[in-house]
Amino acid sequence: MVVTTVVGGRREHRKWARESLTDAFVAFLEASWAHSDVVRDAPARRAVDGDDAQECYAEMRSQLTRLRLLASEEVLRAGEDLLRAQRTAQEARPGAARQEALLAAARCRRLVVAAAKREMGLP
């Protein structure tokens, strides 16, 4: 009975950790997409509206904190790179610089997805 309880407890803990990790990845990536949408939809001749962009950026930071507790260094590096890329996109001048920064953020986002899949043992 004790063995069953211990094994069952470990199994539940792993299940909880995997679900929490998945939730953090999804929330982090959703906030990244939302941030990119805000930046992309900003008027072509003006700076990005701070409130919506800041809200998305703050959500990314919050989820990255969760990932720090649950994920590997590889995932954290990819996530931090994406967070920096999003900030660069937000601060980029309108036009070509902003578009290039958004493309860089998209490349970083793909690296986060790849790292997340490896972390979770997915193909």
Side-chain angles (χ1 to χ4, degrees), residues 13-122:
H13 183 266
R14 280 192 299 269
K15 181 180 175 188
W16 170 84
R18 185 177 175 94
E19 288 172 358
S20 295
L21 184 59
T22 301
D23 291 345
F25 280 136
V26 169
F28 181 73
L29 291 167
E30 283 178 346
S32 172
W33 278 113
H35 186 271
S36 286
D37 289 345
V38 169
V39 171
R40 183 179 35 259
D41 293 343
R45 297 182 190 268
R46 291 196 314 208
V48 175
D49 176 7
D51 290 342
D52 289 340
Q54 271 310 112
E55 189 176 310
C56 295
Y57 189 82
E59 177 64 15
M60 285 183 69
R61 287 179 55 124
S62 176
Q63 295 306 323
L64 191 58
T65 297
R66 288 179 66 200
L67 289 172
R68 280 186 177 91
L69 298 172
L70 298 165
S72 68
E73 285 298 315
E74 175 193 10
V75 169
L76 294 178
R77 279 192 304 277
E80 289 166 350
D81 289 347
L82 175 55
L83 190 68
R84 281 189 290 276
Q86 294 290 167
R87 175 59 76 183
T88 299
Q90 181 177 336
E91 294 173 349
R93 293 178 160 265
R98 186 179 290 166
Q99 293 308 310
E100 181 55 39
L102 285 167
L103 288 173
R107 286 189 295 272
C108 287
R109 195 178 302 112
R110 285 190 296 275
L111 293 174
V112 169
V113 170
K117 289 172 84 172
R118 279 189 299 277
E119 181 86 5
M120 297 186 330
L122 299 172

